[in-house]
Amino acid sequence: MKLTVQVRLLPTPEQATALEATLRACNEAATWASGVAFEKDVKRNFALREHAYGEVKARWGLGAQAAQHVIKKTCDAYATLKANLTAGNLGRPGSKRYRKATEKPIVFRPEGAQPYDDRMLSWQIGGQRVSIWTVAGRIKDVAFTASPEQLATLALYRKGESDLVCRDGTWFLLATCEVPEPEPNTDPHDFLGVDLGIVNIATTSDGEIMAGREINRARIRERTLRTKLQKKNTPSAKRRLTRRRRQEARRARDINHKIAKHVVAEAERTGRGIALEDLTGIRERVRLRKPQRATHSSWSFHQLGSFIAYKARQAGVLVVYVDPAYTSRTCAECGHIDQANRVSQPWFACRCCGFVDHADRNGSRNIRARAWELWRRGAQSTAPAPPPRPRDGAGRERSITASGARCASPAL
């Protein structure tokens, strides 16, 4: 499996100046090549080279490998745009977002990442130094820092390109590593259900609640401060907003990593698989009042799910996705489904058998039960694409009401 190892560069001021000039030149060249690709409708790598390769080398003073990477980066950006348009991530054809994305060429940020291959970048991992190509010539002995685990991963498994990135004046290299996967556990004796929620970020079927109310209080404070700064709308307030947004993103990413690590370690220790909800398209399906939208969309559950999935692959732990429909309304003891079973946000009380439990724990137990039933029936090894939404006679989408669990396990 592919992993990305991020190491921090420690360049001298002269080296940092050369790296900054390199990023700016490469991204200016990519923006120009993007205009050529848009104007001539040539968005494939080898075809675009015929129109842009010589000009990119001559005008911006790039080497042969750098010029090829600039053109490849431009083509990859258009491929990503096409995939987003096909998936409907930028709205329907003719919408404002759709037209904004398609009616003009792609523009690259001056500090956008630039890929490097082994001809342009060489590693001395033992001495924690890199030799890197720039527009000012090749710079040797650029120091970098990394943890012992990262150094070991780089020494054993580094393979492929690395990306040069600058964030707020700090330089990083994102190195691609090809890490071998262990044999997956294809015979789990049970599953660990994980319920994802707004108040409690993650609750397991063992009853363990991770990242609950304390995290939410911090999120509310951040949202209140963000609202005040947005109302000020001064240059200083905008700078503070940018800084705090990045801090909040790093904090959320760190919490998601810790939750994923704990869940995978517990499943591996007990010989179980992991059962997750398939939340694909949940933001489009759920209808909320305006005051609830910020709370509902303020946490990256997709990121948490992807962290659990890749850490599970590293550990050889099976992951199964189930349909989340009615997991919060279904009794984990008798299976009775009723909206009235959810008496409050934290509590579940079955109207049929009288079973009482924490609502999120009850939901995670339902997720576990669905995964186990699916696995006993012999699930497919890949999660199917979500079904198309049905349309009425006028071509408008109708809402879907799920009548059962749609379950699948991800590719291992």
Side-chain angles (χ1 to χ4, degrees):
M1 64 180 293
K2 290 186 181 294
L3 288 181
T4 301
V5 175
Q6 175 179 280
V7 300
R8 180 178 176 181
L9 292 180
L10 304 173
T12 63
E14 293 78 12
Q15 293 171 343
T17 301
L19 293 175
E20 183 179 0
T22 302
L23 279 191
R24 289 187 177 276
C26 290
N27 285 293
E28 287 177 7
T31 299
W32 178 84
S34 172
V36 173
F38 183 83
E39 180 182 352
K40 298 182 178 297
D41 194 23
V42 177
K43 301 182 176 69
R44 292 185 178 274
N45 189 11
F46 290 101
L48 183 57
R49 284 186 191 180
E50 298 179 1
H51 300 277
Y53 178 74
E55 185 71 17
V56 165
K57 285 187 64 179
R59 184 186 296 188
W60 284 276
L62 303 184
Q65 290 299 113
Q68 292 184 23
H69 281 296
V70 163
I71 294 172
K72 183 177 182 296
K73 180 169 74 169
T74 302
C75 296
D76 289 344
Y78 277 106
T80 302
L81 174 62
K82 182 179 179 180
N84 283 325
L85 294 173
T86 303
N89 297 334
L90 297 175
R92 298 181 179 180
S95 65
K96 185 176 180 180
R97 284 186 69 196
Y98 192 98
R99 287 187 285 107
K100 184 178 179 181
T102 56
E103 291 180 353
K104 58 182 180 180
I106 294 175
V107 177
F108 294 85
R109 294 180 294 106
E111 297 83 13
Q114 175 64 20
Y116 278 74
D117 60 18
D118 287 342
R119 295 184 182 182
M120 304 166 63
L121 175 69
S122 60
W123 296 76
Q124 294 84 43
I125 296 174
Q128 295 188 214
R129 296 288 191 274
V130 294
S131 173
I132 187 170
W133 174 89
T134 69
V135 291
R138 195 171 188 92
I139 299 178
K140 298 181 179 181
D141 293 330
V142 181
F144 70 88
T145 180
S147 67
E149 293 80 7
Q150 289 176 317
L151 292 175
T153 303
L154 287 172
L156 293 173
Y157 307 120
R158 190 189 67 80
K159 183 179 180 181
E161 296 179 352
S162 302
D163 288 344
L164 177 65
V165 179
C166 181
R167 301 194 194 108
D168 300 329
T170 304
W171 294 90
F172 299 94
L173 276 174
L174 310 182
T176 303
C177 297
E178 192 75 35
V179 179
E181 296 182 30
E183 287 295 325
N185 177 18
T186 57
D187 188 25
H189 69 270
D190 201 351
F191 282 89
L192 179 65
V194 181
D195 179 76
L196 306 178
I198 302 300
V199 175
N200 301 311
I201 303 301
T203 305
T204 68
S205 53
D206 292 343
E208 187 174 7
I209 297 175
M210 292 170 281
R213 298 186 182 277
E214 183 178 351
I215 296 296
N216 284 317
R217 284 194 290 268
R219 292 163 64 191
I220 292 172
R221 286 196 302 269
E222 289 290 338
R223 192 181 311 130
T224 302
L225 178 59
R226 187 164 59 245
T227 302
K228 292 179 180 179
L229 291 173
Q230 287 171 343
K231 288 181 179 179
K232 279 196 166 187
N233 199 30
T234 61
S236 175
K238 291 179 181 178
R239 286 194 298 270
R240 289 188 63 189
L241 275 171
T242 301
R243 185 169 62 251
R244 298 195 73 88
R245 173 179 59 81
R246 291 170 179 166
Q247 289 175 350
E248 193 171 356
R250 288 195 298 269
R251 185 184 303 114
R253 186 180 183 89
D254 180 63
I255 292 171
N256 281 341
H257 268 301
K258 290 177 179 177
I259 293 174
K261 184 177 180 180
H262 181 82
V263 169
V264 172
E266 183 65 19
E268 183 183 17
R269 183 184 66 83
T270 56
R272 290 181 288 180
I274 298 175
L276 294 175
E277 299 168 290
D278 181 9
L279 298 178
T280 304
I282 187 66
R283 291 183 179 178
E284 290 74 23
R285 296 197 303 268
V286 174
R287 299 292 182 264
L288 297 169
R289 295 190 297 272
K290 190 172 182 178
Q292 297 175 313
R293 293 173 191 167
T295 302
H296 180 264
S297 302
S298 62
W299 195 265
S300 181
F301 293 106
H302 174 77
Q303 183 188 75
L304 175 57
S306 66
F307 286 174
I308 293 176
Y310 94 78
K311 291 178 190 293
R313 287 178 63 187
Q314 280 185 291
V317 175
L318 181 72
V319 178
V320 172
Y321 290 98
V322 304
D323 195 320
Y326 306 118
T327 53
S328 62
R329 303 179 185 180
T330 304
C331 177
E333 291 292 326
C334 69
H336 176 67
I337 302 176
D338 192 341
Q339 185 176 1
N341 287 347
R342 188 73 178 261
V343 294
S344 65
Q345 190 282 322
W347 291 108
F348 179 93
C350 181
R351 300 298 183 184
C352 180
C353 67
F355 172 71
V356 178
D357 196 0
H358 189 281
D360 291 338
R361 181 174 182 269
N362 178 79
S364 63
R365 290 180 61 191
N366 288 325
I367 294 169
R368 169 202 160 275
R370 289 186 181 185
W372 183 243
E373 179 63 26
L374 170 73
W375 189 251
R376 287 194 301 178
R377 293 202 309 263
Q380 298 296 320
S381 61
T382 56
R389 302 197 65 169
R391 297 177 179 270
D392 58 19
R396 295 186 297 267
E397 291 184 349
R398 299 198 307 267
S399 61
I400 297 177
T401 55
S403 58
R406 179 179 62 83
C407 310
S409 63
L412 293 174

